[in-house]
Amino acid sequence: MDLLKTNSVSEFVLVGLSNCPQAQLLLFMAILLTYLATLLGNLLIVTLAWVDSRLHTPMYFFLSHLSFLEMCYTTSTIPQMLAHLLARNKVISFDHCMAQMYIALSLGSTEAILLAAMAYDRYVAVCRPLHYATVMSRKCCLALALSSWASGFILSVINTACVLCLPFCGPNHINHFFCELPVVLKLACADTHLSEAVIFAAAVIILLLPLCIILVSYGLILASILRAHTAAGRHKAFSTCTSHLAVVSIFYGTVISMYMRPHKGSPPDWDKHVAVFYIVVTPALNPLIYSLRNKEVKGAVIKLMQRVGFMKKT
């Protein structure tokens, strides 16, 4: 189908979060600070996992990939969001909109699959500790990480194609702060039932299959914890998984509510409010979740600060 002939819309207008100038300024400051905290926090984890030999383990290898992914994910949307909060012209071209939608979908899909790989890593660590070094070899970790990235970007082609094959002839106002698939799909001037069915099926593969792997992994981990003979052993096994469980709960709770719920009858601003949580808030929380109760990360931070001269060696 010739997109240039079927589309009379060459650009979209992003409505954003608020039309009130005072609210826009407050949102700009809050989101800018959160974005900077996201970049600094996740960059710190990537740096620590790279330079500290004590963190050269599969768990921190995957965590460094997750942190790098979070930096990319937020950067694909937040800079434009910040610019539009201060601008009168909130226009985005059709091509730019489709590119942004594909990149955001790909990175979100990659995160869903990567979280499943991290759950498998925790399963092997708790349930098969004697075989951990053999099973989670460097080759295996690389394969899991690369397959997560490749699968996310390849599967997202399907969703993006479902939108590109539809005609857009107006209106062109997107009630969102970036081009997110469910919201853009509402603007198509054709029957979208087939596209919605394909997108839902893709969401099952991208979201529910990794979630099943996570649930099975943690079911086996829970069974192993309950079989532990000592309270110390149960605490140690459980403490290795709480951070990952928190991240999984936040990510899947918000994303599934966005992509796998019925959209009819929902409040008009629901989509963008949920999106703020998993695009702005969650990536900033992840470094805190993984570091607040983690002695290894705290020790690596102190060691790094001593190396660069911010702290004196004791």
Side-chain angles (χ1 to χ4, degrees), residues 112-172:
I113 300 167
L114 187 62
L115 288 173
M118 295 174 73
Y120 176 72
D121 169 67
R122 292 300 85 206
Y123 155 74
V124 178
V126 174
C127 300
R128 301 181 62 189
L130 298 179
H131 301 91
Y132 183 66
T134 304
V135 175
M136 299 305 296
S137 63
R138 181 171 179 80
K139 184 177 180 180
C140 177
C141 292
L142 282 171
L144 287 172
L146 290 175
S147 62
S148 298
W149 286 93
S151 299
F153 277 81
I154 292 171
L155 290 172
S156 295
V157 171
I158 299 171
N159 288 335
T160 307
C162 287
V163 177
L164 285 172
C165 70
L166 294 170
F168 291 86
C169 46
N172 69 335

Side-chain angles (χ1 to χ4, degrees), residues 224-237:
S224 177
I225 290 173
L226 294 175
R227 288 197 301 268
H229 297 294
T230 64
R234 287 192 293 270
H235 176 74
K236 182 179 179 181

Side-chain angles (χ1 to χ4, degrees), residues 8-9 11-13 167-174 184 186-189:
S8 59
V9 172
E11 61 186 22
F12 294 105
V13 177
F168 291 86
C169 46
N172 69 335
H173 281 64
I174 299 175
V184 174
K186 295 177 183 178
L187 300 181
C189 51

Side-chain angles (χ1 to χ4, degrees), residues 38-65:
T38 298
L39 293 181
L40 291 174
N42 285 288
L43 181 61
L44 177 62
I45 288 180
V46 172
T47 303
L48 292 175
W50 180 266
V51 303
D52 196 308
S53 59
R54 293 174 298 179
L55 302 185
H56 291 173
T57 64
M59 175 181 171
Y60 292 103
F61 171 79
F62 289 120
L63 181 55
S64 66
H65 276 264

Side-chain angles (χ1 to χ4, degrees), residues 76 92-106 160 164 179:
S76 70
I92 182 172
S93 70
F94 182 89
D95 292 340
H96 186 184
C97 182
M98 294 300 109
Q100 184 185 62
M101 183 175 66
Y102 171 70
I103 292 169
L105 274 172
S106 300
T160 307
L164 285 172
C179 293

Side-chain angles (χ1 to χ4, degrees), residues 196-222:
E196 288 173 357
V198 173
I199 289 168
F200 185 85
V204 170
I205 298 172
I206 295 169
L207 294 176
L208 293 191
L209 286 183
L211 182 59
C212 288
I213 294 172
I214 292 170
L215 293 176
V216 170
S217 297
Y218 277 103
L220 295 172
I221 288 170
L222 179 61

